């Protein structure tokens, strides 16, 4: 049996009550077609927690408003089984908004299974930055036939203070190669006027320059705290970057990538095409490929946009052996030779992450 439920123009509490009442009245296998003026994923996950009942829902469109979805009532959950939310049919910005709202509502020892179309590790960094070490994150399936499946449990109540920010990242807890792509990925999903809080061991000036290169003056950057081992920065989407009176030297990099040139002796051994990788995974793959290079070797990076921020990250982190040269600049296909010269400065080489072979970055 199918029923219709219109939740538009109702406050959130009334929407939740109406949705719960409709699902309670439905029999197993029944579907409810819902129209709403906001996403209701948090209500549906809460229903599974409170009623120990499986639900499955799909949106008619990943981003259209009003939101239209079909919710099917399933069988009771087994003992110790968690409810599921499949976010693969949501736009990325909606995914994060829904999941942050769901985790905010979780009590101690409550959780759910997240189903996604790629490794949602950036969400893990986001949740632990917002809630601390009360987030238990367990992979059940890493990209199998049914996608990525992760069990997310809040092991205790958290006192997250997020009243003035959309989200927060403590980058001190993020592996260095993943920091910049993770932050850019999440910043791109902020609503206009939304604020991303960064907590870093010191002011992340190379990242600030990347923001200037990628977003121009359409962001604001405010340093709220700058103490030893802790710098707190608010980055707000929209507005003025406040950098008009600062030279490029003040933030540590040049405005445009200066092609360092590829020595004639550099042997280009392979092509690395990252266009099919999720944005958060690209930088890690590129840095791993660079770390594996012998002196005098290189590879061709193929990307779907100008990887200029990557250049600035390499410039800040790598030694004088780093080489960069554009080979192709066309919409949807950029090709860059990235290599290591034979002329290696031993002083720069000493500043290496011994375990990973990667330059030790300033941020």
């Amino acid at each position: 049996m199918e029923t219709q439920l219109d939740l538009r123009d109702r406050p959130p509490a009334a929407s939740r009550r109406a949705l719960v009442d409709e699902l309670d009245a439905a029999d197993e296998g029944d579907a409810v077609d819902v129209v709403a003026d906001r996403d209701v994923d948090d209500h549906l996950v809460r229903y599974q927690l409170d009623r120990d009942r499986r639900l499955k829902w799909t949106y008619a469109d990943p981003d259209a408003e009003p939101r239209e979805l079909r919710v099917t009532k399933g069988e009771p959950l087994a003992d110790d089984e968690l409810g599921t939310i499949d976010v693969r049919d949501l736009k990325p910005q909606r995914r994060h908004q829904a999941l942050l709202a769901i985790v905010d509502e979780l009590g101690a020892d409550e959780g759910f299974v997240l189903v996604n179309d790629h490794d949602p590790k950036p969400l893990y960094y986001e949740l632990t930055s917002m809630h601390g070490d009360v987030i238990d994150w367990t992979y059940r399936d890493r990209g199998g036939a049914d996608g990525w499946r992760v069990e997310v449990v809040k092991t205790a109540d958290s006192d997250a203070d997020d009243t003035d920010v959309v989200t927060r990242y403590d980058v001190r807890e993020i592996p260095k190669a993943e920091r910049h792509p993770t932050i850019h990925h999440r910043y791109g999903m902020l609503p206009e006027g939304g604020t991303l809080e960064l907590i870093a061991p010191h002011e992340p000036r190379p990242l600030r320059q990347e923001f200037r290169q990628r977003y121009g003056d359409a962001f604001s950057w405010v340093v709220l705290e700058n103490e030893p081992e802790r710098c707190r920065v608010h980055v707000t989407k929209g507005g003025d970057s406040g950098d008009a009176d600062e030279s490029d030297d003040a933030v540590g990099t040049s405005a445009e990538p200066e092609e360092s040139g590829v020595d004639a002796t550099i042997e280009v051994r392979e092509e690395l095409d990252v266009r099919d990788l999720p944005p958060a995974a690209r930088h890690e793959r590129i840095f791993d490929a660079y770390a594996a290079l012998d002196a005098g070797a290189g590879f061709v990076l193929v990307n779907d946009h100008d990887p200029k921020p990557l250049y600035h990250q390499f410039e800040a982190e790598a030694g004088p052996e780093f080489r960069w040269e554009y080979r192709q600049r066309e919409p949807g296909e950029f090709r860059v030779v990235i290599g290591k010269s034979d002329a290696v400065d031993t002083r720069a080489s000493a500043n290496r992450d011994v375990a990973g072979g990667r330059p030790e970055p300033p941020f």
Side-chain angles (χ1 to χ4, degrees), residues 33-107:
D33 289 325
V34 179
V35 180
D37 47 18
R38 61 179 294 274
D39 292 316
V40 296
D41 305 87
D42 52 340
H43 300 340
L44 297 172
V45 171
R46 189 74 246 171
Y47 186 90
Q48 294 180 87
L49 289 167
D50 293 341
R51 298 294 194 269
D52 291 323
R53 172 73 66 166
R54 293 178 185 172
L55 295 178
K56 182 177 181 180
W57 63 98
T58 56
Y59 285 90
D61 184 279
D63 201 40
E65 295 183 355
R67 307 299 283 146
E68 298 182 5
L69 65 155
R70 171 165 291 188
V71 185
T72 303
K73 187 173 182 179
E75 60 189 10
L77 294 170
D79 291 343
D80 298 325
E81 181 182 3
L82 297 177
T84 297
I85 174 172
D86 187 336
V87 299
R88 289 176 292 184
D89 65 339
L90 291 177
K91 283 283 191 179
Q93 181 176 346
R94 290 187 180 274
R95 296 180 190 184
H96 281 253
Q97 290 173 341
L99 292 165
L100 289 177
I102 290 166
V103 174
D104 281 346
E105 284 197 25
L106 292 179

Side-chain angles (χ1 to χ4, degrees), residues 113-313:
V113 174
L114 167 64
V115 182
N116 200 22
D117 52 14
H118 62 270
D119 187 353
K121 188 159 54 173
L123 176 69
Y124 168 76
Y125 299 136
E126 187 171 9
L127 293 178
T128 54
S129 296
M130 297 290 283
H131 296 277
D133 59 2
V134 301
I135 301 299
D136 185 69
W137 180 276
T138 305
Y139 286 98
R140 287 188 174 181
D141 196 345
R142 298 174 182 261
D146 196 25
W148 290 76
R149 301 176 69 87
V150 182
E151 184 178 296
V152 183
V153 176
K154 192 189 262 187
T155 59
D157 292 328
S158 67
D159 53 357
D161 176 15
D162 58 354
T163 55
D164 56 347
V165 300
V166 173
T167 191
R168 175 183 297 113
Y169 280 102
D170 187 337
V171 301
R172 297 170 297 181
E173 305 300 323
I174 302 177
K176 290 165 185 171
E178 299 178 31
R179 291 176 180 177
H180 288 215
T182 296
I183 292 164
H184 282 297
H185 177 69
R186 185 63 177 99
Y187 176 82
M189 293 184 283
L190 288 180
E192 195 72 13
T195 297
L196 166 67
E197 181 171 279
L198 301 176
I199 301 173
H202 48 75
E203 185 178 357
R205 291 193 165 196
L207 178 70
R208 183 181 187 181
Q209 178 64 6
E210 285 187 16
F211 267 73
R212 292 182 64 191
Q213 294 299 321
R214 185 174 294 193
Y215 313 115
D217 292 330
F219 72 96
S220 67
W221 179 284
V222 179
V223 178
L224 301 177
E225 299 177 30
N226 200 352
E227 304 294 336
E229 302 302 320
R230 178 182 169 87
C231 178
R232 188 162 66 95
V233 179
H234 276 191
V235 186
T236 302
K237 197 170 189 177
D240 186 350
S241 69
D243 287 343
D245 60 347
E246 293 193 24
S247 68
D248 289 326
D249 289 341
V251 291
T253 56
S254 59
E256 290 293 329
E258 297 179 1
E259 296 195 15
S260 54
V262 174
D263 299 344
T265 58
I266 286 183
E267 179 185 357
V268 178
R269 297 177 178 174
E270 62 179 341
E271 182 174 284
L272 177 59
D273 190 337
V274 299
R275 290 175 292 184
D276 291 335
L277 293 177
R282 295 182 183 184
H283 280 213
E284 180 177 12
R285 181 70 62 85
I286 294 164
F287 273 102
D288 285 345
Y290 181 79
L293 290 176
D294 297 325
F299 60 89
V300 176
L301 169 65
V302 184
N303 200 20
D304 52 15
H305 62 271
D306 188 350
K308 192 158 47 175
L310 180 72
Y311 168 84
H312 292 300
Q313 190 172 353

